[in-house]
Amino acid sequence: MNLTISGHHLDVTPALRSYVTSKLDRIIRHFDQVVDVKVLLTVEKQKEKEKRQRAECTVRVKGSDLFVESAHFDLYAAVDELMDKLDRMVVRYKDRLQDHQAGVRRATAQAAAAT
């Protein structure tokens, strides 16, 4: 798995890098066929009093790309929200890949072979 963590208008500190990496471990635990992960951390300065932190993640898995983004006033909270969204998306993607009818087909094939 290739992991790229970059910042836009932001220096990615080692503490921030290790925080994102530790949160990504949960995704890898649920789905191990991840090819590439790109995380972009951004500080938007729309107004001086209203600074907003944004986190984006693109996960390349076999067959498709999953994209998630999150925004919050705190960057760590944005990363937490991002990983929650990504976790739900990966679990849904994994469910789509699994063949839920395999047991029914096996039982039907055995019944047909027995007769």
Side-chain angles (χ1 to χ4, degrees):
M1 174 185 84
N2 296 328
L3 174 63
T4 305
I5 301 173
S6 58
H8 189 253
H9 299 294
L10 168 77
D11 291 331
V12 180
T13 62
L16 192 57
R17 184 177 300 276
S18 67
Y19 186 75
V20 171
T21 306
S22 68
K23 290 292 183 173
L24 276 172
D25 287 341
R26 184 172 72 177
I27 307 303
I28 303 304
R29 185 178 56 208
H30 284 169
F31 190 66
D32 59 349
Q33 297 177 359
V34 176
V35 176
D36 188 30
V37 178
K38 294 181 183 176
V39 179
L40 177 65
L41 306 172
T42 307
V43 175
E44 295 178 352
K45 296 181 181 178
Q46 296 172 352
K47 295 180 181 176
E48 191 60 37
K49 63 180 180 179
E50 190 179 321
K51 294 184 181 176
R52 206 152 120 152
Q53 319 290 324
R54 199 171 78 188
E56 300 175 1
C57 185
T58 304
V59 177
R60 178 166 288 156
V61 293
K62 185 178 178 182
S64 76
D65 292 341
L66 308 174
F67 177 77
V68 181
E69 65 182 344
S70 173
H72 203 273
F73 291 108
D74 180 29
L75 188 59
Y76 286 97
V79 169
D80 286 340
E81 186 178 330
L82 176 84
M83 292 304 161
D84 289 340
K85 287 181 181 181
L86 187 60
D87 189 37
R88 286 192 302 268
M89 187 177 280
V90 164
V91 168
R92 278 184 41 212
Y93 181 78
K94 185 178 176 182
D95 280 346
R96 287 185 200 145
L97 288 181
Q98 291 177 346
D99 188 9
H100 295 289
Q101 300 295 324
V104 175
R105 287 192 202 125
R106 228 177 286 128
T108 305
Q110 288 175 354
T115 56

